[in-house]
Amino acid sequence: MKKFFTKEYLKELFYVTLGNLLVAVSFSFFLDPLNLVMGGATGAATILKCLFGFDTAITVFVINVVLLLIGLLFLGKDLFIKTLYSTIVLPLFISLCNFIYGLLVEEGQVLVSEPMLVILFSSLIFAVISRRILWP
């Protein structure tokens, strides 16, 4: 396992944090208001929000914790620690972005109403983030 607080490890942590922030912005400002599902924990959270009214940030956290515990059996310690960090940070960023979105946009309104445009740009954001985090 890598030593903590080395320059390289802090750089990786910065990119994981930035990636989580961008995912949260994309999700909270564009996908969630239109109830669009991209997949993964955020997609499942959107479905559960529509069906049962669950809070998306809390649902993402619960799903990620369950998957993290399962992944603990198969992941290396370094990847486990970054995944644990993301499991905590992403729901916090989603809550923050949901709060900011609520301040900027009136109830029932959306920033972008064209679903194809939202899907295109959200997919692009997710792809760039995945590329940067997984293959630095």
Side-chain angles (χ1 to χ4, degrees):
M1 177 168 53
K2 296 179 183 179
K3 290 183 178 180
F4 292 108
F5 305 114
T6 64
K7 184 178 179 181
E8 185 62 31
Y9 194 79
L10 290 175
K11 183 178 172 183
E12 287 178 28
L13 203 57
F14 169 77
Y15 285 120
V16 169
T17 304
L18 180 62
N20 278 298
L21 177 61
L22 292 175
V23 165
V25 168
S26 176
F27 176 74
S28 295
F29 281 64
F30 303 108
L31 294 170
D32 197 34
L34 293 176
N35 295 320
L36 294 174
V37 177
M38 292 287 285
T42 56
T46 301
I47 291 170
L48 293 172
K49 179 189 85 170
C50 291
L51 293 176
F52 305 110
F54 294 163
D55 181 82
T56 51
I58 293 170
T59 307
V60 166
F61 178 74
V62 170
I63 291 169
N64 281 338
V65 166
V66 170
L67 293 174
L68 181 65
L69 293 174
I70 293 169
L72 178 58
L73 302 171
F74 304 103
L75 300 175
K77 288 181 182 178
D78 184 50
L79 187 56
F80 172 78
I81 290 170
K82 284 191 263 186
T83 304
L84 177 64
Y85 176 73
S86 288
T87 298
I88 295 167
V89 170
L90 180 60
L92 293 175
F93 281 153
I94 288 174
S95 291
L96 176 65
C97 290
N98 285 343
F99 176 75
I100 293 169
Y101 183 83
L103 294 176
L104 297 175
V105 180
E106 292 181 28
E107 184 71 30
Q109 300 293 316
V110 294
L111 288 176
V112 180
S113 60
E114 180 56 47
M116 287 304 291
L117 189 60
V118 169
I119 291 170
L120 175 70
F121 283 110
S122 295
S123 298
L124 183 62
I125 289 170
F126 280 88
V128 169
I129 292 166
S130 297
R131 165 60 178 96
R132 182 63 193 126
I133 291 173
L134 296 176
W135 298 283

Short mmCIF file of all heavy atoms in Angstrom, two decimals, residues 40-65:
data_model
loop_
_atom_site.label_atom_id
_atom_site.label_comp_id
_atom_site.label_asym_id
_atom_site.label_seq_id
_atom_site.Cartn_x
_atom_site.Cartn_y
_atom_site.Cartn_z
N GLY A 40 -25.47 2.80 -12.19
CA GLY A 40 -24.71 2.82 -10.96
C GLY A 40 -25.54 3.23 -9.77
O GLY A 40 -26.78 3.19 -9.79
N ALA A 41 -24.87 3.66 -8.71
CA ALA A 41 -25.55 4.02 -7.47
C ALA A 41 -26.45 5.24 -7.66
O ALA A 41 -27.55 5.30 -7.11
CB ALA A 41 -24.53 4.27 -6.37
N THR A 42 -25.99 6.23 -8.43
CA THR A 42 -26.81 7.42 -8.65
C THR A 42 -28.06 7.09 -9.46
O THR A 42 -29.13 7.65 -9.21
CB THR A 42 -26.02 8.55 -9.33
OG1 THR A 42 -25.46 8.07 -10.55
CG2 THR A 42 -24.94 9.09 -8.42
N GLY A 43 -27.95 6.18 -10.41
CA GLY A 43 -29.12 5.76 -11.18
C GLY A 43 -30.12 5.02 -10.31
O GLY A 43 -31.34 5.27 -10.38
N ALA A 44 -29.64 4.12 -9.48
CA ALA A 44 -30.51 3.39 -8.56
C ALA A 44 -31.17 4.37 -7.58
O ALA A 44 -32.35 4.23 -7.25
CB ALA A 44 -29.74 2.32 -7.82
N ALA A 45 -30.42 5.36 -7.13
CA ALA A 45 -30.96 6.36 -6.20
C ALA A 45 -32.07 7.17 -6.87
O ALA A 45 -33.08 7.50 -6.24
CB ALA A 45 -29.85 7.29 -5.71
N THR A 46 -31.89 7.49 -8.14
CA THR A 46 -32.93 8.22 -8.88
C THR A 46 -34.20 7.39 -8.98
O THR A 46 -35.31 7.90 -8.78
CB THR A 46 -32.42 8.61 -10.28
OG1 THR A 46 -31.26 9.44 -10.15
CG2 THR A 46 -33.49 9.37 -11.05
N ILE A 47 -34.06 6.12 -9.29
CA ILE A 47 -35.23 5.24 -9.39
C ILE A 47 -35.94 5.14 -8.04
O ILE A 47 -37.17 5.25 -7.97
CB ILE A 47 -34.80 3.85 -9.90
CG1 ILE A 47 -34.36 3.94 -11.36
CG2 ILE A 47 -35.95 2.85 -9.75
CD1 ILE A 47 -33.71 2.69 -11.90
N LEU A 48 -35.17 4.96 -6.97
CA LEU A 48 -35.77 4.86 -5.64
C LEU A 48 -36.41 6.17 -5.20
O LEU A 48 -37.42 6.17 -4.49
CB LEU A 48 -34.74 4.39 -4.62
CG LEU A 48 -34.26 2.94 -4.82
CD1 LEU A 48 -33.10 2.62 -3.90
CD2 LEU A 48 -35.41 1.97 -4.60
N LYS A 49 -35.85 7.31 -5.65
CA LYS A 49 -36.46 8.60 -5.35
C LYS A 49 -37.82 8.71 -6.04
O LYS A 49 -38.80 9.14 -5.43
CB LYS A 49 -35.57 9.75 -5.82
CG LYS A 49 -36.17 11.14 -5.56
CD LYS A 49 -35.38 12.23 -6.23
CE LYS A 49 -35.88 12.34 -7.64
NZ LYS A 49 -35.40 13.49 -8.38
N CYS A 50 -37.89 8.29 -7.30
CA CYS A 50 -39.15 8.35 -8.05
C CYS A 50 -40.20 7.39 -7.47
O CYS A 50 -41.38 7.73 -7.41
CB CYS A 50 -38.91 8.04 -9.52
SG CYS A 50 -37.99 9.31 -10.38
N LEU A 51 -39.77 6.21 -7.07
CA LEU A 51 -40.72 5.21 -6.57
C LEU A 51 -41.17 5.46 -5.14
O LEU A 51 -42.35 5.30 -4.81
CB LEU A 51 -40.11 3.80 -6.67
CG LEU A 51 -39.87 3.25 -8.07
CD1 LEU A 51 -39.16 1.91 -7.99
CD2 LEU A 51 -41.19 3.12 -8.82
N PHE A 52 -40.22 5.83 -4.27
CA PHE A 52 -40.52 5.90 -2.84
C PHE A 52 -40.23 7.26 -2.20
O PHE A 52 -40.48 7.44 -1.01
CB PHE A 52 -39.73 4.83 -2.08
CG PHE A 52 -39.95 3.44 -2.61
CD1 PHE A 52 -38.94 2.78 -3.28
CD2 PHE A 52 -41.17 2.81 -2.42
CE1 PHE A 52 -39.14 1.49 -3.77
CE2 PHE A 52 -41.38 1.53 -2.91
CZ PHE A 52 -40.36 0.87 -3.59
N GLY A 53 -39.65 8.20 -2.95
CA GLY A 53 -39.35 9.51 -2.41
C GLY A 53 -38.10 9.57 -1.55
O GLY A 53 -37.92 10.51 -0.78
N PHE A 54 -37.22 8.56 -1.67
CA PHE A 54 -35.99 8.54 -0.87
C PHE A 54 -35.06 9.68 -1.28
O PHE A 54 -34.99 10.06 -2.44
CB PHE A 54 -35.25 7.21 -1.06
CG PHE A 54 -35.96 6.01 -0.51
CD1 PHE A 54 -35.58 4.74 -0.90
CD2 PHE A 54 -37.00 6.12 0.39
CE1 PHE A 54 -36.22 3.61 -0.41
CE2 PHE A 54 -37.64 5.01 0.90
CZ PHE A 54 -37.25 3.75 0.49
N ASP A 55 -34.31 10.20 -0.33
CA ASP A 55 -33.30 11.21 -0.59
C ASP A 55 -32.16 10.58 -1.40
O ASP A 55 -31.63 9.54 -1.00
CB ASP A 55 -32.78 11.77 0.73
CG ASP A 55 -31.73 12.83 0.52
OD1 ASP A 55 -32.11 13.98 0.27
OD2 ASP A 55 -30.53 12.49 0.59
N THR A 56 -31.78 11.21 -2.50
CA THR A 56 -30.77 10.61 -3.39
C THR A 56 -29.40 10.52 -2.73
O THR A 56 -28.70 9.52 -2.90
CB THR A 56 -30.66 11.38 -4.71
OG1 THR A 56 -30.49 12.77 -4.45
CG2 THR A 56 -31.89 11.18 -5.58
N ALA A 57 -29.00 11.53 -1.98
CA ALA A 57 -27.66 11.50 -1.35
C ALA A 57 -27.55 10.36 -0.34
O ALA A 57 -26.56 9.63 -0.33
CB ALA A 57 -27.36 12.84 -0.67
N ILE A 58 -28.58 10.18 0.46
CA ILE A 58 -28.56 9.10 1.46
C ILE A 58 -28.60 7.74 0.76
O ILE A 58 -27.88 6.82 1.15
CB ILE A 58 -29.73 9.26 2.45
CG1 ILE A 58 -29.52 10.51 3.30
CG2 ILE A 58 -29.87 8.03 3.34
CD1 ILE A 58 -30.71 10.91 4.15
N THR A 59 -29.41 7.63 -0.27
CA THR A 59 -29.51 6.37 -1.01
C THR A 59 -28.18 6.02 -1.67
O THR A 59 -27.75 4.86 -1.62
CB THR A 59 -30.64 6.43 -2.06
OG1 THR A 59 -31.85 6.83 -1.42
CG2 THR A 59 -30.84 5.10 -2.73
N VAL A 60 -27.52 7.00 -2.28
CA VAL A 60 -26.20 6.76 -2.89
C VAL A 60 -25.22 6.27 -1.82
O VAL A 60 -24.47 5.33 -2.05
CB VAL A 60 -25.67 8.04 -3.58
CG1 VAL A 60 -24.19 7.91 -3.91
CG2 VAL A 60 -26.46 8.33 -4.84
N PHE A 61 -25.26 6.89 -0.66
CA PHE A 61 -24.35 6.49 0.42
C PHE A 61 -24.62 5.04 0.84
O PHE A 61 -23.68 4.24 0.96
CB PHE A 61 -24.51 7.43 1.62
CG PHE A 61 -23.65 7.05 2.79
CD1 PHE A 61 -22.28 7.29 2.75
CD2 PHE A 61 -24.19 6.45 3.91
CE1 PHE A 61 -21.47 6.94 3.82
CE2 PHE A 61 -23.39 6.10 4.98
CZ PHE A 61 -22.03 6.34 4.94
N VAL A 62 -25.87 4.68 1.06
CA VAL A 62 -26.21 3.32 1.51
C VAL A 62 -25.79 2.29 0.46
O VAL A 62 -25.17 1.26 0.79
CB VAL A 62 -27.72 3.21 1.83
CG1 VAL A 62 -28.13 1.77 2.04
CG2 VAL A 62 -28.07 4.06 3.04
N ILE A 63 -26.11 2.56 -0.81
CA ILE A 63 -25.73 1.63 -1.88
C ILE A 63 -24.22 1.48 -1.94
O ILE A 63 -23.68 0.37 -2.05
CB ILE A 63 -26.30 2.09 -3.23
CG1 ILE A 63 -27.82 1.95 -3.24
CG2 ILE A 63 -25.67 1.31 -4.39
CD1 ILE A 63 -28.49 2.63 -4.42
N ASN A 64 -23.50 2.60 -1.86
CA ASN A 64 -22.04 2.55 -1.93
C ASN A 64 -21.42 1.82 -0.75
O ASN A 64 -20.43 1.11 -0.90
CB ASN A 64 -21.45 3.96 -2.06
CG ASN A 64 -21.55 4.49 -3.48
OD1 ASN A 64 -21.67 3.74 -4.43
ND2 ASN A 64 -21.51 5.80 -3.60
N VAL A 65 -21.99 1.98 0.44
CA VAL A 65 -21.47 1.26 1.61
C VAL A 65 -21.64 -0.24 1.43
O VAL A 65 -20.71 -1.02 1.70
CB VAL A 65 -22.14 1.75 2.92
CG1 VAL A 65 -21.87 0.80 4.07
CG2 VAL A 65 -21.66 3.15 3.26
#
